[in-house]
Amino acid sequence: MKHPTDRRTVLMTVAAAAVAAVAGSVAAQPADVRGTVTFESGAAIPQGQLKIYLEDPAVRDNARRRITQTSIKSDGGSKTITFSLSSPASSTTSPELRIVARLERADGWLLARGSTQLEPGSPVNVTLNTVVY
């Protein structure tokens, strides 16, 4: 004897499928932000320390503005440098997030700077521009 399918069973099945789909899409998100840094006019990136960080300009407290960062040493011969930053927790993401790259000499003097808006799913490319004092 067949049992008729009631509305409650159908709704529970649909809800379970929706939760599984959302969990799958969250799990499929990349664990980190990857990109490249180039120098203006396609020239080689000068020698120095490259500091790349994820920044939220909506945060007014400068101490908490930087979310994550990495440092890479530039030997002065590369035209592009690839980087990877850990992705922020989804609860702290802001639509105003940007990637900032700073190239500094060994004594801390700023040589070049660049930034770009972080757009999920899009490749990240930051172009460094020479700083004029």
Side-chain angles (χ1 to χ4, degrees), residues 7 14 16 22 43 64 121 126 130:
R7 183 176 178 183
V14 170
V22 169
R64 296 183 330 146
V126 181
T130 304

Side-chain angles (χ1 to χ4, degrees), residues 24-37:
S25 68
V26 169
Q29 290 178 354
D32 51 8
V33 177
R34 298 181 188 275
T36 59
V37 176

Side-chain angles (χ1 to χ4, degrees), residues 54-105:
L54 189 59
E55 180 180 72
D56 188 354
V59 175
R60 299 292 174 216
D61 181 12
N62 286 336
R64 296 183 330 146
R65 182 175 273 191
R66 289 186 188 179
I67 298 171
T68 183
Q69 82 175 36
T70 188
S71 294
I72 302 170
K73 191 162 186 96
S74 172
D75 61 4
S78 301
K79 289 192 175 198
T80 62
I81 295 178
T82 59
F83 67 89
S84 177
L85 291 171
S86 58
S87 184
S90 60
S91 63
T92 63
T93 57
S94 164
E96 298 181 29
L97 288 179
R98 64 182 173 189
I99 301 285
V100 178
R102 295 172 49 94
L103 180 64
E104 300 175 355
R105 292 191 318 202

